[in-house]
Amino acid sequence: AENEQVSPLQNLDVGRSCILVSIAGKNVMLDCGMHMGYNDDRRFPDFSYITQNGRLTDFLDCVIISHFHLDHCGALPYFSEMVGYDGPIYMTHPTKAICPILLEDYRKITVDKKGETNFFTSQMIKDCMKKVVAVHLHQTVQVSDHFCIGDYNMTPDRHLGAAWIDKCRPDLLITESTYATTIRDSKRCRERDFLKKVHETVERGGKVLIPVFALGRAQELCILLETFWERMNLKAPIYFSTGLTEKANHYYKLFITWTNQKIRKTFVQRNMFEFKHIKAFDRAFADNPGPMVVFATPGMLHAGQSLQIFRKWAGNEKNMVIMPGYCVQGTVGHKILSGQRKLEMEGRQILEVKMQVEYMSFSAHADAKGIMQLIRQAEPRNVLLVHGEAKKMEFLKQKIEQEFHVSCYMPANGETTTIFTNPSIPVDISLGLLKRETAIGLLPDVKKPKLMHGTLIMKDNSFRLVSPEQALKELGLAEHQLRFTCRVHIQDPRKEHETVLRVYNHLKGVLKDYSVQHLPDGSITVESILIQATAHSEDQGTKVLLVSWTYQDEELGSYLTSLLKKGLPQSTS
Amino acid sequence: MAAHLKKRVYEEFTKVVQQQHEDLSAKKLRLTKPSKSAALHVDLCKATSPADALQYLLQFARKPVEVESVEGVVRILLEHYYKENDASVRLKIASLLGLLSKTAGFSPDCIVDDAINTLQNEKSHQVLAQLLDTLLVIGTKLTENPSVRMRLVEVACKHLTDSSHGVRNKCLQLIGCLGPVEKGVAKEAESQAAKDVQKIIGDHFNDQDPRVRTAAIKAMLQLHERGLKLQQAIYGQACKLLADDYEQVRSAAVQLIWVLSQLYPESIVPIPSSNEEIRLVDDAFGKICHMVSDGSWVVRVQAAKLLGSMQQVSSHFLEQTLDKKLMSDLRRKRTAHERAKELYSSGEFSSGRKWGDDAPKEEIDTGAVNLIESGACGAFVHGLEDEMYEVRIAAVEALCMLAQSSPSFAEKCLDFLVDMFNDEIEEVRLQSIHTMRKISNNITLREDQLDTVLAVLEDSSRDIREALHELLCCTNVSTKEGIHLALVELLKNLTKYPTDRESIWKCLKFLGSRHPTLVLPLVPELLSTHPFFDTPEPDMDDPAYIAVLVLIFNAAKSCPTMPALFSDHTFRHYAYLRDSLSHLVPPLRLPGRKLVSSPVSPSITPHEDPSQQFLHQSLERVYNLQHLDPQGIQELLEFTIRDLQRLGELQSELAGMADFTATYLQCQLLLIKALQEKLWNMAAPLYLKQNALASAAAKQILEETYKMEFMYSGVESKQVVIIHHMRLQAKALQLIVTARTARGVEPLFGMCEKFLQEVDSFQRCFISELPRMQGSFVDKLLDLMPRLVTSKPSEVVKILQTTLRQSTFLHLPLPERLYRASANIIEPTGESDNPLRFTSGLVVALDVDATLEHVQDPQGTVKVQVLYPDGQAQLIHPKPADFRNPGPGRHRLITQVYLSHTAWTEPCQIEVRLLLAYNSNRSKATAKVPKSTWNESVEALPQPENGIEGTIPFSKPVKVYIMPKPARR
C-alpha cells in the first residue's frame, strides 16, 4: 500500500487556500491563495513549511489552481517569483485568462493605493503566468503515475455551469467546506427577490446602486439583470462602472463552452456577455435624472467609485443600495447593513442615509447538500475537508462518515494526514494469452476473480503479462523442464508386467476422465505422467513404481502418488 | 328485388377493378423475375475480390426486389455466404437477408431454416450479431408462428454465452421481442431450454458489459410491453442496477423499476437495515426520486418524467418530495416560502427587505439532520432547481400530473410552481404556467403567490402573457386585495402591450364571474364613484375602462346588489357594451329596466334552454314543408334560415348548430329554386337564364356541402351521409344542366358514367345508413339503378330530373355538439396607413397572428393565402411549429409570411386570409369518430372520383398596405 500525505498550509478560515499533497513520492500543491483580511506576512501561506529552506522547484512537482478567486490564486506571483518556483502550474483556460487581471488589480490596490512595498510587480505577474499550463475541463494530465487533474470548481453560478463529476472513485476527494453547516434555499427565490426589488425601485423612478467586486458575482448579477430587462422589456439604463470588468467580460465571451446551459443556449442568437442593456459608466451619469441601475466597485463601499455614488444618492429615499455579499466589519457597507442611518464621513461630515438598504446573499460556495452530492457522485474512498471552520467541519465530517461510510479527515494548518491507498497497477496482457485463458472455463464473471497462467515481465517501468513461451523467447532463455519423480513401493509377488497390468486396470477404473494408456514398452501413461514398474533389487516381492511428472502436472502427479501409495486393491480377479 | 339488384351492381363493379389489377401486376412480374436473381448471381460469380463483391452487393441493395423474386435472391445470397471467406462480405449478405425478409408481402417461412443454419459455423462476432438481427426481422414477421419463434429463441439462448457484447446484445433483443409471452405456450415448451425467458434475461443483468446489461433491461421491458407479467423477484435486481456506473443502464433500470411499481403497487418490500416494510410503489417512488439527483442528466430527465405517472404512491411520500430543510450554522432556517406564508397568515404583507429577515431560528439536533436522504425527500426541490432545463421541464410535468390526482399535493406544490414562473428559460416558464392552469381547480392562490404570478405579466413574450391570462381565467383568488392586485397588474399589462386587449378583457370576464363577492366591495373604488359628488364620466373608448367594466358587469351577473352602486353613465355604458362586446358582457337584470335580451332566468337548466328549443322547433317546422305549395316552401325556408342565422349571432354556444342547419336549409332552398317546374317547362330560348341560375345553384350547393363537411367539428357520420346526399343531388343537377346545354352525346356519356360511379360509391360508403333514407333521392335512384346502367344518357338525365323533383327532403339529425371552425386574424390589424416598404424582388416578412377555433389538425389544414392586387394569389403552408395549442379546441397561429412582388408605383393593399384546406379523400376518415365500416370502404374507393382538394376561406380577409420599391441601381 502506498500512502498519500496531505498537509494543508492554510485552510482554517475563509481566506487562503493552499494544500500540499504527496502521492507516491510526488508532491503536488493545490491552490495558492492569499488572505484578503491581512496586510502583513500572514496574508500569504507559509511556504517555508514545505521545504525548510530548500528550493521549492526541487520539492514540488506541480501546482494546481482550481479557480481564479484571489483566495485560491492570490499568492501565486509571490510564490513563483519571490519565493521561487519554476515547475509547472496547471489551471483551466478561463482561469488562466482572468487570473492575471485580478492579480494586477489586487497589486494596484495594494501598491498604488496603499503604497506598500515589498510586493510583487506587474512583471512578476507576467513571468508567473508564463509558467502556467492551461488545461481543458475534464482533461486528464498525467503528472505522475496515478494522479489526475480535473476541474474541481463546485460553483453553480449563473455564468458558469454547476459542477458534476464522473464516478471516478478517487482515493481522496478534497473539498472546501465553508458552508458545511448550511443548507441554502432555492437560488430562484433569492434571484426573484433581488429582481423584484430592483424593478420596484426603477419603476418608482429611483436609482439602484449595487456595489460589487469586479469579477464572478458581478457577471452573474449582470446577466441576471440583462436577462430580466430583456424579458420584461424595461428601458431604464444599467451602468457598469469599471473598465476592468470589460476586460474580464471580454474573456468570458471567449469561454462560452464553459458556461451554463442558458448562456450556451442563447449563444446561437447572441453572446450573453455582450450586454445589450448594460453600458459603461461615466462619473457624470450619477447626476442624471431618472431611474438607473449602477454596478460599482468595490463591493464593501469602503472606497472608490461605489462610495462616491453612494454619497450622492444616499439622501433620497427613493433610491436603493443592494449589498450582494458579505461586508467586513468597519466598512461603510457593514455599517449601513447593521442599520446605521447616520454615517460619519471623513472631514467630520455627517451623511444621513435615507435610501433603502438591502442585503442579498449570492454566495457561490457549495452548501452542505452540494458537498454531499459531490461525494455521492464521485464515490471517493476518503474525503478531506479544507477551507472551513473547525466546528462546522466536525459536523460535516460526522455526516459524511455516517452516510457514506468513508473516512473523512480535517487536518489543521500544517498538520499532515496520511491516507493509505490500494493503488491499482495496470498490467498489459497479450491478446493471445487473454483469449487462450478465457477460452478455458466459463465466461468471465464480474464477481469472481479468475485465475490465469502467464509470465509477468517487469521491464522499463512497465508490466506485461505474456505467455511463458513468449517470455522465454523475449528473454532469450532456453526452456527447462522440471520433473518430479517419486518411487512407490508395492507389495506384489507377481511378475512385473502383471503388476503393471494390475496398476493399469486400477488406474483405469479410478481415473475415468483421463486417458490412461498402457504402452508397449511396459510403462503406463496417465496424460503426460509416466509410470514404470521394476522389481526391487533385494526383495522380488516388492515392486517399485516410478512415477514421473512435469511441474505443470503437479496436481495430478501428487494425486496419483497418493493413490498408488494406498496400494492396489486386494481383489485379484 | 331492389336489394338484390343493388348487390349485383356492387359485385360487378368491384370485380372489374380487381381483374385489371391482377393483370397489370402479373405482367410486370414476368418481366422482372428472371433478370433479378440471375444478374446478382452472375455479378457475384464475377467478383474477384471481396471488395468487388461488396460493391455488387451495395449496388444491389439500392434497388428494391419484387416479392416473388425474394426467395430466389435469398438462395443465391446464402450460396455465396457459405463460399465467402471475407467477413465483411458475409456481414453485408447477412444484413441483406434481413432487408429482404422485410419485403412487404413476403413470408420468410421458407428461409428460417437456412438462416438458422448460417449461424452454426460462423466465427466472426460481427457477422453473428448481424445474422441474429436478421433472425429478429424474420421472427417479427412470423409472430403468428409459435414454433418458429421458439426455435429462434432457443438459438438466441445458445449464443448468449458468446464472448462478444454485440452478439449477446442481439440475443437479448431477440429474446425480448420473440420470447413466449402467453402462459399456454410456456407450458407446452417447458421441456425446452427457453422455458423461462425472464430468468435468462435476468441473469444478464449482471453481465460484465454495460451495453449487454442495458440490452437485458430493455429486453425485459420489451417483454412487458408485449404483455408478459414480469415477476416481482426482478425488483431487487433492478434496484441494484440503479447504482450502476453507466448512465444507459441506470436510465433503463429506472424504467424497469417504474414498470414493476405499476405491476405490484401493493406488495410489501422490506426496508434494508431495518425491520420495517413498505409498499412496493412507495419504495420504488423513493428510489426513482433518488435518481432525480443522479449525475447524468439523461437519467434525471427519465426519473423526473416517470415520477409523474406514479399516482398510487401514498400521500405521505408524495409530500416529502417537496420537503427541504434549510439550516445555517446548524440552526434551523425557514425557507422563503415558509416566511411568506407566515407573514401572510399573521396579516402582515411581506416587506422582504430586512437584513436578517431570514435569520436562523432554533438550534437543530445534529443527529437528526439527514443531508442526503435516501427516500423521496426533496426530489422535486432538486428537480426544479436542476441545472438543465430539460430536467426542470420534466419535473414540472410530473408535478402537474401528480397534483391533478391529489388536491392536497396541489396545494403544497403551489409555492414551487409559482417559483418556476421566473425560470430563466422561457419554455420552462410556459410549461409551469400551463401546469398551474391544469391544476387550478384544486388550488387557491395566496396573495404573495398571486403577486409573483402577476409580476410575470410584464414578460415580453406574448406566449407567456397569454398563457398567464388563460391561467388567471380559471384561478381562484382568496381576497379582494388579490382581485384588486390582479386588475391593477392587468391594466399595467394593457398599457404596456395594447395588443393584449382582447385576451385581458376575456381574462377579466372570468375573473369577475368567478369572484362576484370579492369584486363587490371594490366597485365604488373601481368606478371611482363618490357618495356626494358626481365624478366625471370616463372615456368610453378607453380599453382600460372597458376592462374594469367587463370585470364589474360579469361579477354583477350573480350579485344582484351590485347594480345599485352604479352611477347613471355606467348603465349607459352597459347598454353600449352589451351590444358592442356581447361576448364579454353578460345580460344583467338591472333595476327599472327591461332585460335587453330575451328573458333568461337563471333557474332554467340548459336542457330546456329556450334557444335550443327554438332551434329544434324551427327545424321541425321545416320538415313538414313537403305539404306546402312551392311558394310557401320557399318562404318558410327563407324565414327559418334568417331566424337561425340571427340565433347563431345571439347565442354563441349554439352558433355552430344554427349555422350548420342554416347552411343545410340554404342548400335545400337553392335546390328547390333551381328545380322550379315553371322554369323548366319554359321554351328553349329562355333556357339560358334558367341554366345560369341552376348551374350557379349547383355550384354553390357543392361549395356549401364541403363547408358543412369540413368546417364543423363534431360532425358525425349521420350528418356526413346527409351532406354527401346533398352533394349528390347537386351533382345530378349539374348533370341535368349540362345535358341541356351541351351539344353532342360524347361528353354527356362520360359524365353519366361518372355520376353513376359516384352513386355507387355513395351506396357502398353509407350502406348502413340507407334504410334511414326512405324516399330520398338516392333511395329512388338505387331502385332505378339497373335501368340507369343500361339506358342512354338522355334517358338517364330525364330520370334524374324527375327523381330529383320527386324526392323528399331529408331530415337532418343534429349531433350533441357542433362547432364551426373559425379564425380571426389579430395581426396584421389592417388599420395601418403606413405601407410596408421593401425593395422589389426581395422579400419582406409579414407577421401573422391568428386565433383558430375548433379546427381539427390545424397543422395539416390551415393555410395562409395572400392575394395581390393583380389577382396573383399565393398559398403559404405554415410550419407545424407555428401552431400553438393554448386550450382545448383552440389554436393559435403565429407565423411569418414572406411577401414579394415586382415594383409598384403606388402603395397598394394586399389581402391576407386563412384557408381551410380539405381533401375529400381524407375527409372524415382521419378526423373524429367516423364509422369503421365507412372508414374502411373509403380506401377501397376507385381513385378518380376522389381526391378533390379544395380550400374554404374561413377568416375575414385583412388588408395590408405594401409598397415594393424599385431597386436602386
Side-chain angles (χ1 to χ4, degrees), chain B residues 565-855:
Chain B
L565 298 167
F566 294 173
S567 50
D568 285 344
H569 53 81
T570 317
F571 290 110
R572 285 204 306 278
H573 294 165
Y574 167 73
Y576 170 66
L577 287 181
R578 173 76 193 120
D579 213 43
S580 61
L581 296 171
S582 56
H583 61 289
L584 291 172
V585 180
L588 288 183
R589 186 189 289 276
L590 296 179
R593 237 168 226 271
K594 276 208 308 193
L595 271 181
V596 181
S597 72
S598 56
V600 183
S601 73
S603 64
I604 293 185
T605 54
H607 226 42
E608 40 199 291
D609 188 359
S611 38
Q612 188 109 34
Q613 271 178 4
F614 175 75
L615 182 75
H616 287 287
Q617 274 166 6
S618 34
L619 280 178
E620 286 305 321
R621 205 165 57 207
V622 173
Y623 295 134
N624 299 325
L625 51 74
Q626 225 73 31
H627 317 295
L628 290 172
D629 59 302
Q631 188 60 35
I633 290 174
Q634 276 191 30
E635 269 171 24
L636 178 63
L637 278 174
E638 269 162 20
F639 285 136
T640 319
I641 290 167
R642 198 199 59 201
D643 284 353
L644 286 174
Q645 275 167 349
R646 181 68 186 147
L647 179 71
E649 281 163 29
L650 289 177
Q651 291 283 321
S652 54
E653 61 268 37
L654 286 178
M657 210 89 88
D659 282 346
F660 189 69
T661 9
T663 318
Y664 180 62
L665 296 181
Q666 182 72 39
C667 292
Q668 187 65 28
L669 181 65
L670 284 167
L671 193 67
I672 290 171
K673 274 188 182 163
L675 287 174
Q676 265 178 359
E677 219 160 331
K678 267 194 284 178
L679 295 168
W680 290 94
N681 297 336
M682 252 181 231
L686 287 169
Y687 275 180
L688 227 55
K689 182 193 164 202
Q690 172 58 27
N691 285 339
L693 183 85
S695 66
K699 218 171 138 197
Q700 199 185 340
I701 294 173
L702 278 180
E703 262 172 39
E704 299 286 342
T705 56
Y706 283 121
K707 273 190 201 170
M708 283 172 80
E709 188 176 350
F710 296 103
M711 255 175 82
Y712 293 86
S713 63
V715 179
E716 293 160 18
S717 58
K718 264 188 287 184
Q719 285 85 44
V720 173
V721 65
I722 306 276
I723 295 166
H724 277 248
H725 182 249
M726 181 54 85
R727 194 176 300 157
L728 207 58
Q729 283 176 309
K731 281 180 181 161
L733 184 63
Q734 255 179 345
L735 185 62
I736 296 165
V737 176
T738 336
R740 297 186 67 150
T741 48
R743 313 236 175 274
V745 188
E746 200 52 42
L748 207 58
F749 197 79
M751 277 188 81
C752 278
E753 184 98 328
K754 209 175 144 206
F755 180 74
L756 290 180
Q757 270 180 20
E758 261 164 43
V759 174
D760 187 72
S761 67
F762 179 89
Q763 185 208 9
R764 281 193 294 137
C765 289
F766 304 104
I767 195 120
S768 59
E769 304 278 346
L770 281 179
R772 246 177 288 168
M773 308 181 71
Q774 289 303 329
S776 70
F777 173 65
V778 137
D779 191 55
K780 287 186 176 154
L781 213 59
L782 285 173
D783 285 343
L784 297 167
M785 204 58 174
R787 237 180 90 196
L788 285 172
V789 177
T790 48
S791 47
K792 283 184 208 150
S794 56
E795 270 175 72
V796 173
V797 170
K798 220 168 268 167
I799 297 171
L800 280 181
Q801 197 176 334
T802 39
T803 334
L804 207 52
R805 214 175 298 154
Q806 282 165 2
S807 57
T808 52
F809 173 51
L810 270 180
H811 204 289
L812 178 72
L814 282 180
E816 279 297 297
R817 305 204 157 268
L818 200 57
Y819 296 105
R820 185 193 158 108
S822 61
N824 186 19
I825 300 179
I826 305 170
E827 222 172 306
T829 47
E831 287 160 2
S832 173
D833 289 332
N834 294 325
L836 201 60
R837 289 174 197 279
F838 61 99
T839 309
S840 68
L842 299 182
V843 285
V844 66
L846 177 70
D847 286 308
V848 173
D849 180 355
T851 52
L852 314 170
E853 285 192 38
H854 306 298
V855 181

Side-chain angles (χ1 to χ4, degrees), chain B residues 127-181:
Chain B
V127 181
L128 259 181
Q130 188 60 54
L131 282 172
L132 282 164
D133 196 50
T134 305
L135 287 184
L136 178 61
V137 171
I138 294 175
T140 35
K141 280 210 88 178
L142 294 175
T143 33
E144 307 306 307
N145 188 341
S147 68
V148 169
R149 259 177 26 199
M150 283 310 298
R151 277 190 61 197
L152 292 178
V153 169
E154 261 176 73
V155 169
C157 290
K158 221 171 10 185
H159 284 90
L160 269 178
T161 49
D162 197 285
S163 62
S164 155
H165 69 88
V167 178
R168 274 177 287 158
N169 235 341
K170 284 284 173 226
C171 288
L172 287 169
Q173 206 181 336
L174 204 143
I175 297 175
C177 291
L178 302 175
V181 173

Side-chain angles (χ1 to χ4, degrees), chain A residues 14-42:
Chain A
V14 187
R16 296 153 296 188
S17 172
C18 190
I19 304 153
L20 198 65
V21 182
S22 344
I23 319 159
K26 306 273 177 180
N27 294 315
V28 177
M29 191 164 88
L30 305 177
D31 280 350
C32 188
M34 55 151 302
H35 197 291
M36 305 274 263
Y38 296 118
N39 284 326
D40 47 27
D41 282 347
R42 285 178 295 172

Side-chain angles (χ1 to χ4, degrees), chain A residues 169 192 231-232 358 399, chain B residues 245 353 369 419 460 496:
Chain A
R169 300 202 174 87
R192 193 191 59 214
R231 212 184 112 194
M232 295 303 197
E358 298 291 349
K399 284 289 150 199
Chain B
D245 282 4
R353 282 194 202 94
V369 188
D419 271 351
S460 59
K496 201 161 173 184

Side-chain angles (χ1 to χ4, degrees), chain B residues 169-398:
Chain B
N169 235 341
K170 284 284 173 226
C171 288
L172 287 169
Q173 206 181 336
L174 204 143
I175 297 175
C177 291
L178 302 175
V181 173
E182 309 84 19
K183 281 227 170 71
V185 177
K187 240 178 231 164
E188 205 176 282
E190 225 155 354
S191 56
Q192 295 173 31
K195 62 183 164 199
D196 190 359
V197 276
Q198 284 200 50
K199 178 148 188 328
I200 294 166
I201 295 176
D203 287 345
H204 284 263
F205 280 2
N206 294 323
D207 196 281
Q208 58 167 351
D209 195 292
R211 288 162 287 198
V212 181
R213 290 201 290 273
T214 317
I217 304 174
K218 292 251 167 79
M220 199 63 107
L221 289 169
Q222 181 76 33
L223 281 179
H224 164 73
E225 257 167 51
R226 290 177 50 224
L228 182 74
K229 190 163 187 193
L230 301 185
Q231 290 149 5
Q232 200 198 328
I234 307 171
Y235 183 71
Q237 282 180 292
C239 289
K240 276 185 207 124
L241 287 172
L242 285 180
D244 200 279
D245 282 4
Y246 291 84
E247 62 174 21
Q248 320 95 292
V249 183
R250 292 201 300 268
S251 172
V254 169
Q255 279 180 45
L256 185 60
I257 287 200
W258 178 79
V259 164
L260 287 167
S261 79
Q262 302 298 304
L263 283 175
Y264 305 98
E266 297 302 331
S267 27
I268 299 294
V269 288
I271 303 174
S273 75
S274 82
N275 297 328
E276 287 169 66
E277 292 180 324
I278 48 169
R279 292 160 71 216
L280 192 143
V281 65
D282 289 342
D283 191 50
F285 188 76
K287 293 215 156 73
I288 297 180
C289 280
H290 196 57
M291 299 312 278
V292 173
S293 45
D294 189 85
S296 146
W297 71 272
V298 183
V299 180
R300 298 205 296 274
V301 170
Q302 177 89 57
K305 267 190 188 147
L306 290 177
L307 281 184
S309 45
M310 298 182 79
Q311 268 136 9
Q312 299 111 310
V313 74
S314 9
S315 59
H316 161 64
F317 277 88
L318 196 55
E319 275 153 27
Q320 272 190 14
T321 55
L322 297 176
D323 186 48
K324 188 180 190 183
K325 292 206 170 52
L326 303 186
M327 59 174 191
S328 171
D329 290 350
L330 285 180
R331 281 179 297 170
R332 173 97 172 80
K333 214 170 120 177
R334 288 164 311 146
T335 59
H337 294 153
E338 288 169 317
R339 289 202 302 277
K341 199 166 175 181
E342 217 164 275
L343 273 168
Y344 173 72
S345 51
S346 70
E348 190 187 339
F349 197 56
S350 169
S351 64
R353 282 194 202 94
K354 275 178 240 149
W355 190 29
D357 186 17
D358 56 350
K361 293 282 147 68
E362 70 270 35
E363 297 261 339
I364 44 176
D365 175 18
T366 49
V369 188
N370 207 1
L371 286 179
I372 288 256
E373 299 83 356
S374 50
C377 267
F380 277 120
V381 178
H382 286 287
L384 294 175
E385 284 174 26
D386 199 277
E387 185 206 4
M388 308 296 284
Y389 82 95
E390 291 90 344
V391 183
R392 298 200 296 268
I393 286 195
V396 168
E397 274 166 8

